[in-house]
Every structure is written in structure tokens, then in C-alpha cells.
Amino acid sequence: MIKGESMQLNNLKIGKKLGIGFFICNSFLIIMCAILLVNYYITKTSLDRLNLINVTTLEKSYIMSSRINELMRIFGLMPFLPENKYKNEKEKITPLREEYRKALTMIKKLDTTDKGKTLLENLLNQIKSAAEKNDTVMKNIEEGRNGEAQLLY
């Protein structure tokens, strides 16, 4: 290069031009790989979290449903059971209700959408009225009024 001339791309040899071109391409490739890797990590983390929440919610919903079904079965049978079987079934009620409450607490924490909260509130209102009816059935049975308890179911 002659003194006083600025360095221009036209003055470079073909080998240097290719080297600069490969360097620029490789730099862009590395930057794109880094961006893709970060996006992959963010997406994977989000999907894992959603999966955990959905699986946990499904599991707790199943526990709630099965415990409610079992409680309804017990309360439906209690007016017809002899004294010894009645006591056995009555002992199952408290643990079932406790498992149901734990599952419900977890679902309340996990479901934060407005639609989910509305659905859960509607379900709780229905369960509350059923629980009151169940308590009335128990009271009637314990007072020896099995016929009235049977009429509730």
C-alpha cells in the first residue's frame, strides 16, 4: 500500500476479502445461536412450569373429585347401614374431607385465571350446599330419624 492512500476493500487481496467475509458470517452465526439458545431455555422453562402446574392441577382435581364422590356414596348409604357399618363409614369421613381440603387449597393457589376462579367459586357453592345437606343427614341418623335422612337422598 502506498503512503497516503486509505485502505479500501478494492485494494485487498482475495484471501483477505474471503477471510473478512467468513469472519462476519461466523460472527452473525454465533450471535444467532446465542439468541436461539436463550429463547430455547426461556421456552423450555415456561413449558416445564406450565406442565407442572397443569399436571398438579389435574392431580388435585382428581383427588377432589374422587373424595367428593366417596363422601356422597357414604352419606347416601349411611341411612341404610346397620350400626357397626355406620360407624366404620363415619370414621372415613374426616380423612376424606381433609384430603379434599388439601387438594382444594392447592388448586386455589395454582389457578389464578378469572375463569378458573369463577368455576371454582361455583363448584364451592354447590359443594357447600351438599355439605350442609350431608351434615343434616348425619344429625338425623344420630337422632334415630333414618327415614328423614333417607328422604334427603
Side-chain angles (χ1 to χ4, degrees), residues 98-113:
E98 189 58 36
E99 290 176 24
Y100 158 77
R101 283 188 192 104
K102 286 179 185 176
L104 177 62
T105 302
M106 181 64 78
I107 289 173
K108 282 182 180 179
K109 289 178 184 175
L110 292 175
D111 199 351
T112 57
T113 63

Side-chain angles (χ1 to χ4, degrees), residues 7 9 12-27:
M7 183 172 178
L9 196 57
L12 294 176
K13 294 182 179 178
I14 190 73
K16 285 198 180 208
K17 289 179 186 178
L18 286 172
I20 291 171
F22 283 127
F23 175 76
I24 291 171
C25 288
N26 283 338
S27 297

Side-chain angles (χ1 to χ4, degrees), residues 82-143:
E83 186 66 28
N84 62 342
K85 289 188 179 181
Y86 168 80
K87 287 181 181 178
N88 289 340
E89 293 295 320
K90 186 178 176 184
E91 290 173 1
K92 295 178 185 177
I93 293 172
T94 303
L96 287 171
R97 282 184 170 170
E98 189 58 36
E99 290 176 24
Y100 158 77
R101 283 188 192 104
K102 286 179 185 176
L104 177 62
T105 302
M106 181 64 78
I107 289 173
K108 282 182 180 179
K109 289 178 184 175
L110 292 175
D111 199 351
T112 57
T113 63
D114 289 336
K115 186 177 180 181
K117 287 180 180 181
T118 303
L119 287 171
L120 192 57
E121 193 63 37
N122 291 341
L123 175 67
L124 290 175
N125 289 334
Q126 291 181 0
I127 290 172
K128 184 178 179 183
S129 65
E132 291 169 355
K133 188 168 99 172
N134 292 341
D135 291 340
T136 305
V137 168
M138 291 286 295
K139 182 180 175 188
N140 286 340
I141 292 170
E142 289 175 2
E143 291 175 357

Side-chain angles (χ1 to χ4, degrees), residues 34-90:
I35 291 170
L36 287 173
L37 188 63
V38 168
N39 284 338
Y40 167 78
Y41 177 75
I42 291 170
T43 304
K44 183 180 180 314
T45 304
S46 297
L47 289 174
D48 287 345
R49 184 176 176 276
L50 283 173
N51 186 37
L52 175 66
I53 288 172
N54 288 338
V55 168
T56 304
T57 303
L58 285 172
E59 177 188 2
K60 298 304 177 186
S61 296
Y62 173 76
I63 290 171
M64 271 182 57
S65 172
S66 64
R67 297 321 177 257
I68 289 171
N69 288 338
E70 183 64 14
L71 286 167
M72 296 305 286
R73 182 196 67 77
I74 290 171
F75 286 112
L77 288 175
M78 287 181 101
F80 304 100
L81 295 175
E83 186 66 28
N84 62 342
K85 289 188 179 181
Y86 168 80
K87 287 181 181 178
N88 289 340
E89 293 295 320
K90 186 178 176 184

